[in-house]
Amino acid sequence: MEVARSILATTAKCSHCSGQAAIEYLEGGSIGVHVCPGRYVSRIIAYGNPLDLDRFREFVQGAVQGTQRIDDTDVRVASRYAWDLGLDRASNDLILKEMYWTQNYRRAKSEDPDRVALFFCANGDSFFVQAVQGNERLCSKCRNP
C-alpha cells in the first residue's frame, strides 16, 4: 500500500489532546492507525481495493476489546481517485478505497472524562483501553513482560 504511505500519510489534529496525530501502519501497510503523542487512537483505516467490511469490523471489534459493539454503521467508506490524490494520470481511475472507524463517531459518545477509550501501545504492536484521560503509553503486556 505504497500509495497510502506516500500520499495519505498526513498528520491531523487529535480530538483527544489537540496535538498532532500521525499514522502508524499495521498488517503490511494495509491498516493505518491515527495516534497522537499520548497514544490515543483517533481513527483506524483499512486501505485496498476491494475491502472486506466484515473483516475490518472484526479487526476494530478486537481492538476495542469488548468495550463497545462495532456495527457496520460505525464504519465509513471512501473511494480515492487519481485526481483526488493529486496524481497525474491519463485517466482518473479508482486508485484505492479506504474504510475507517473513528472513536468520535461512536453512537454512545460520552463526554465523561473517565470514559474508556482506545489507545495504541507505544511499542506499535497492540491496542489497549484505559480512561480517556489516562497517561499510560504501553499495553499491559508491555508493562508487565
Side-chain angles (χ1 to χ4, degrees):
M1 298 277 64
E2 196 58 39
V3 170
R5 285 187 178 198
S6 64
I7 296 174
L8 300 173
T10 60
T11 59
K13 185 176 177 182
C14 176
S15 59
H16 158 257
C17 68
S18 298
Q20 289 296 311
I23 295 180
E24 295 186 22
Y25 294 96
L26 302 168
E27 312 259 328
S30 64
I31 300 281
V33 182
H34 263 136
V35 294
C36 71
R39 309 306 294 166
Y40 175 86
V41 174
S42 298
R43 181 176 286 189
I44 300 175
I45 310 161
Y47 304 100
N49 188 18
L51 290 170
D52 184 337
L53 175 62
D54 291 333
R55 183 173 175 265
F56 181 66
R57 188 179 28 77
E58 289 171 10
F59 178 86
V60 175
Q61 187 68 63
V64 299
Q65 304 170 16
T67 59
Q68 61 183 286
R69 184 169 170 258
I70 306 300
D71 292 328
D72 290 353
T73 58
D74 296 325
V75 176
R76 308 295 198 273
V77 179
S79 298
R80 299 298 193 154
Y81 295 88
W83 64 268
D84 179 38
L85 298 172
L87 299 174
D88 187 20
R89 299 268 173 99
S91 70
N92 281 314
D93 294 338
L94 177 70
I95 302 297
L96 62 84
K97 289 190 174 204
E98 298 176 352
M99 235 184 271
Y100 57 95
W101 171 84
T102 303
Q103 286 202 69
N104 291 338
Y105 289 163
R106 291 190 320 258
R107 285 170 272 103
K109 185 177 178 187
S110 166
E111 297 305 322
D112 179 357
D114 296 322
R115 74 183 180 278
V116 174
L118 183 64
F119 290 78
F120 190 58
C121 184
N123 287 337
D125 61 356
S126 61
F127 295 94
F128 65 100
V129 293
Q130 68 177 340
V132 73
Q133 297 301 326
N135 58 9
E136 189 56 62
R137 295 174 36 87
L138 295 172
C139 67
S140 61
K141 179 181 72 176
C142 293
R143 284 190 308 260
N144 307 310

